[in-house]
Amino acid sequence: MHPEQLIHQLVVGDDRAIAAIVEASRTSDDPTILVAAALFAPDGAGLVARAGGIAATTRERQLVAIATAHLRGERDLVDALARDHLADHPDNVLVAWIAGASHSTKEHS
């Protein structure tokens, strides 16, 4: 399955997509796959660190920064970074999902 399709399935809570992304992260050098897996895998911080080490574009580096802030519980930073990122990249479903997940976690805290 194409990584974009997996991301779309992941954000709607498809358990098979989550398992596939976590599995793919073991050998992937795609920062988007690594960040997506980091949201569900036990070693999320390690996966985000790997993504940060290979992120080559501004878009990828921003994704890593947003995921890092999310995993640290820095919700205000997630909101600010995601807002800026989505202004330039409105098609980034993963960043929109992270921002929403961070916001809903904040409301339930």
Side-chain angles (χ1 to χ4, degrees):
M1 185 176 293
H2 189 272
E4 275 302 309
Q5 289 175 305
L6 277 176
I7 298 296
H8 283 273
Q9 289 181 290
L10 171 98
V11 300
V12 296
D14 183 316
D15 289 337
R16 288 187 325 208
I18 292 168
I21 289 209
V22 171
E23 178 65 28
S25 73
R26 293 182 181 153
T27 58
S28 180
D29 62 355
D30 180 338
T32 301
I33 294 295
L34 295 173
V35 165
L39 303 173
F40 298 96
D43 183 28
L47 289 169
V48 169
R50 268 183 53 211
I54 59 177
T57 66
T58 300
R59 180 181 174 129
E60 292 170 345
R61 288 188 296 272
Q62 289 173 343
L63 173 62
V64 170
I66 293 163
T68 299
H70 174 70
L71 291 174
R72 290 181 180 165
E74 298 170 340
R75 284 142 185 83
D76 291 339
L77 182 57
V78 170
D79 288 344
L81 294 174
R83 189 171 31 254
D84 288 347
H85 181 84
L86 291 169
D88 292 334
H89 308 285
D91 63 330
N92 195 321
V93 175
L94 185 56
V95 167
W97 185 87
I98 292 170
S102 184
H103 183 67
S104 74
T105 301
K106 182 179 183 178
E107 289 178 350
H108 295 99
S109 297

